[in-house]
């Protein structure tokens, strides 16, 4: 059985040895170990891919032992994840189709190891793409008055379908705190600027106005503060005075697609850990 | 005689033809023409490299004719520059030596087509480097009380030496409006962040705190508003959770050196034009 | 009427003035002019976007005058292109779907200003994607024996549909000289390496074997020599020892998509000129 | 005592646990562990930074125990390195000064944790820079006839000064196999192309000729096959048809400086391991 273990705790001597020793005693083989110490915060992070080949291996038994033998004494927060089943990813979109097309193409090609139970949108525009890819599309309009009701519908769909994480593929609405609370560090947004520059609306216009020579895109986990959550991935591309705002937007689309797809993959492979509103991204 | 002509004016039909026709009548050859129209502002920009081989070519005569035949009727702001003599570049530094070393190495190798009449610093620390490269070093301390006096000394040195433009090679003092007024779009600063993110002090610390995945450096013309002048050049490099603030600073040094050197070269080759607090950078 | 004019000829004095003067006399307005001189080859290149607003403007008349008044005396090779109708782009694919998905998504979103009359493939695998996007899909298998016949079918489809240019979106067959001759500098290929490194088959395997730290993709016009045609666009991404060949391939897919799409856009906007097996790419 | 341990051996289960357990028993604290498995070659690599605070800690004792308890049974090749004293780096140069200036500036600023006992050159041109930085400069001309004698002089200087590794900062001579044998994976070269493209002489000319849109620089360990050793670091920069060969060279200089400096730092921090003519670069 292939597993991924994520651990963080206050740093101290002997943790690696203790954890690898425990896995060894459970007849597991550490295939990959990545570790990091945030020296400012004095926090230890570790990600282990381990393989347990023993036929009667019990994950319940492993968890119990790990908790009492290690986690309790080291004060660890930790989790163990099996490779199957694939996590369920809900997509929220509005009117822009480039990130949706990109993610669905990757999904369809088997590049993304997820299930997509449905797409939610506050508009009907992208329904044809959902149909192209044979996926359920829920049109949930959001107005001032319908906001609460819309949230209820969204939450119900998420719950009924057992959604594991949410991807905002250029969803142009603010996600409610109720949903953020249900999915802490499990909602991935793509912002069309090199954050923290140009947070908020119309970043390409602001970048053009400022006369920057490079534009960017940022994928981050959604927190209650707008565009201020832990950054997962960023990328940039050069621009010049020859580019109009329209050119910025067109160049930006390619950045957004790539940066969002990379972030989704990192999340799916459990290569991200969040601490102090920052991410550790394992290699 | 090799010349560079820079022009900007309200856009209208026929400008390129009018200008190239005038140069042709003066028996000049247009070696390179680069042109840009800012459609939002409706402004036309042009840079021409022209060669006048006629022995009795008079630049005074050319200027007079250009002004009356073209500039007046098109409402042009324009300038013509000869390739020689080399412009005089003053260097302002504080305690960091990496940009100074980089610029002086390039200068010494003949890579920068400038004269460096002197280095000004508010500290004495980098004097040995000036001596290494055999350049005058003026230590002008800046305190609250001595600020006015320091400016006077700086201005006098600039004037006496006929300085054409100033490079702030990690100069850690705010340049006074009096000097900025004397050198409009002629003071080049290097800021150690990807502006407009992290303007002001300690940008690497702020970038580390925010958990960005890319850091940058920005070279810009100095205006009265801090770190808000027209951007000449920017570049970035990837960072990760494995990098400490110290690593950010070390990686940033290389960015700062390169970005500042590129901006200086663009300025020296008269490839920059400033309009609406933005730059046009000709290729 | 919006037009794009492309010119190249031996460099000499007065060309810009002569061309802009002619356009001016025809009551055209030069909206954008980009010009380049290859000093080694002594060749002058120019691209002009011009607008002719006169109601009775005749392109035939313009062409005749241009040829006799300018092109003949300067020895110019030149062409004038109208913005409409959109050029017709044929797609050749094999089994990889990422470039096809990417181009069709852009096409469907109106990002590519082309018509796509059909897709040709030597396999049947990607037919469902053609159906998703409602495009004709012609399965033309290529074997040693059927090669000639396959070419005939391809050529006929190209001719009947009035195809202007061809995009090989990871087409895994060598295009025959007969087709290359019919479409000189009009067949765009994407090669999955940073050419000239790793030309030929299995470039990601070769890159992995060599232990490079950066991989790339190259879009180029197809010539008879394999992977040696004029390069239109290249891009790269960092890799490390932690990446397997499978990772190289996955990272490379994103490069290939972006690089091919950029090259197609440059071609469609007539921003490319070919000379001495190299490209001039106008901005 | 701060140490860095480098290990590689055939991959098998339990290695991490065995090594960290041994360090733990010796009362050491693993500060940083980075590990990699080359699945194709089935080789395990590990780099550990460990701190041994015990006053009576004996490195000799540690080494003996490690060898008999671990290395022998796992078939490990391994080494342990103390942080002090700084390694001794010899510089070989010819006529280009940019890499030399860059390295000496970093050295002088304390950025490079090395000693530089001397500079060797086959020309006298760069002696003034050595004098600027107060370093011994040995002019050892290399001609067909004097080659053997030159090597002898070089080897003697290396030996007498206890040199640990050699940096070829644009040294335009082929290093003899005798020296390569003495310094296996300890001679760092900078090649001015994106290897394996444009190996050999005049890579910028070849890149210009081919019409590439990106140029690069590559730092690698020197092996007997020219420009074919294990790659440590690469970087690239965009070029276009507007750039002449001279521009390629100027842009390339900045790449060369940065790429070589990064490689030197990686080597000094013992973050490189070589296997199968490839490098593992620890983070």
């Amino acid at each position: 059985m292939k597993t991924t273990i994520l651990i963080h705790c206050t740093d101290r001597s002997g943790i690696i040895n203790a954890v690898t020793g425990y896995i060894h005693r459970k007849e597991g083989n550490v295939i990959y170990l990545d570790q990091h110490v945030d020296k400012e915060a004095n926090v230890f992070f570790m990600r282990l891919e381990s393989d347990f080949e023993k036929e009667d291996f019990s994950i319940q038994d492993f968890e119990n032992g790990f908790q009492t033998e290690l986690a309790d004494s080291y004060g660890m927060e930790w989790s163990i994840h099996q490779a199957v089943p694939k996590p369920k990813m809900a997509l929220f979109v509005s009117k822009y189709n480039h990130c949706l097309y990109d993610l669905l193409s990757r999904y369809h090609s088997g590049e993304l190891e997820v299930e997509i139970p449905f797409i939610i949108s506050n508009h009907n525009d992208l329904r044809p793409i959902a149909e192209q890819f044979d996926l359920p599309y829920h049109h949930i309009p959001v107005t001032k008055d319908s906001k609460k009701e819309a949230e209820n519908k969204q939450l119900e769909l998420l719950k009924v379908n057992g959604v594991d994480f949410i991807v905002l593929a250029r969803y142009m609405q603010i996600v409610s705190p109720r949903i953020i609370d249900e999915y802490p560090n499990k909602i991935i947004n793509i912002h069309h600027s090199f954050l923290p520059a140009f947070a908020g609306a119309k970043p390409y216009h602001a970048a053009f106005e400022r006369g920057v020579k490079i534009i960017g895109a940022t994928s981050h986990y959604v927190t209650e503060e707008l565009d201020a959550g832990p950054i997962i991935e960023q990328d940039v591309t050069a621009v010049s005075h020859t580019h109009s705002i329209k050119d910025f937007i067109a160049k930006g689309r390619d950045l957004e697609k790539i940066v969002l797809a990379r972030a989704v993959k990192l999340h799916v492979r459990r290569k991200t850990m969040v601490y102090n509103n920052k991410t550790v991204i394992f290699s």
Side-chain angles (χ1 to χ4, degrees), chain A:
Chain A
M1 180 193 289
K2 282 178 193 291
T3 66
T4 302
I5 300 168
L6 298 173
I7 299 166
H8 70 91
C9 60
T10 302
D11 188 31
R12 56 187 252 208
S13 183
I15 304 175
I16 297 172
N17 186 42
V19 172
T20 55
Y22 179 79
I23 290 167
H24 208 55
R25 286 201 301 281
K26 294 291 176 185
E27 294 176 53
N29 184 19
V30 175
I31 296 161
Y32 200 83
L33 180 159
D34 207 346
Q35 160 257 329
H36 171 64
V37 177
D38 182 328
K39 280 172 193 165
E40 312 247 328
N42 197 38
V43 178
F44 174 91
F45 300 87
M46 190 156 60
R47 179 181 181 279
L48 297 117
E49 294 178 14
S50 302
D51 200 357
F52 297 89
E53 294 186 348
K54 227 175 112 187
E55 269 194 29
D56 62 346
F57 174 75
S58 151
I59 195 155
Q60 187 59 50
D61 184 53
F62 181 93
E63 287 181 315
N64 292 342
F66 195 100
Q67 186 63 39
T68 52
E69 291 183 39
L70 292 174
D72 288 344
S73 57
Y74 282 95
M76 288 173 179
E77 293 194 37
W78 76 289
S79 55
I80 183 167
H81 308 273
Q82 293 172 254
V84 283
K86 293 180 187 173
K88 291 187 179 167
M89 170 176 98
L91 283 169
F92 282 42
V93 298
S94 290
K95 292 186 167 186
Y96 293 112
N97 66 23
H98 54 285
C99 285
L100 180 62
Y101 255 133
D102 187 69
L103 288 172
L104 295 187
S105 305
R106 294 173 195 270
Y107 172 62
H108 204 237
S109 313
E111 187 182 318
L112 293 183
E113 290 143 22
V114 298
E115 296 294 327
I116 302 181
F118 60 81
I119 299 164
I120 281 175
S121 179
N122 56 330
H123 294 285
N124 235 327
D125 304 53
L126 304 186
R127 183 181 297 277
I129 300 178
E131 286 166 1
Q132 253 187 323
F133 287 85
D134 220 11
L135 288 168
Y137 185 89
H138 301 288
H139 178 208
I140 305 179
V142 180
T143 63
K144 251 188 199 165
D145 294 341
S146 72
K147 208 166 188 314
K148 182 76 189 229
E149 188 195 345
E151 282 171 30
N152 289 340
K153 279 191 200 162
Q154 291 171 351
L155 276 168
E156 204 196 323
L157 278 167
L158 293 168
K159 207 166 292 180
V160 167
N161 287 278
V163 163
D164 292 295
F165 72 106
I166 300 166
V167 173
L168 310 181
R170 296 300 307 276
Y171 181 61
M172 308 302 274
Q173 289 286 328
I174 292 181
V175 175
S176 87
R178 285 165 66 203
I179 297 183
I180 297 172
D181 283 352
E182 290 282 323
Y183 288 91
N185 299 323
K186 288 179 177 171
I187 307 175
I188 300 172
N189 186 40
I190 179 72
H191 183 74
H192 39 317
S193 85
F194 183 73
L195 288 175
F198 311 123
K202 295 210 171 257
Y204 292 127
H205 289 73
F208 182 82
E209 180 68 23
R210 179 63 187 91
V212 295
K213 301 303 183 189
I214 290 175
I215 56 169
T218 304
S219 190
H220 62 93
Y221 287 118
V222 173
T223 56
E224 292 208 18
E225 192 179 342
L226 186 68
D227 297 334
I231 293 170
I232 305 167
E233 174 77 9
Q234 300 189 292
D235 207 349
V236 296
T237 196
V239 291
S240 77
H241 66 276
T242 64
H243 295 106
S244 64
I245 291 177
K246 213 178 130 189
D247 294 329
F248 277 35
I249 292 169
K251 279 176 150 273
R253 273 196 297 260
D254 283 354
L255 278 179
E256 295 163 30
K257 280 155 44 171
I258 301 289
V259 168
L260 180 57
R262 283 190 203 142
V264 170
K265 284 186 196 173
L266 289 169
H267 182 86
V268 170
R269 289 172 193 168
R270 306 193 183 281
K271 298 211 161 181
T272 65
M273 290 186 77
V274 174
Y275 194 82
N276 278 357
N277 203 45
K278 295 166 44 167
T279 58
V280 171
I281 305 290
F282 293 112
S283 67

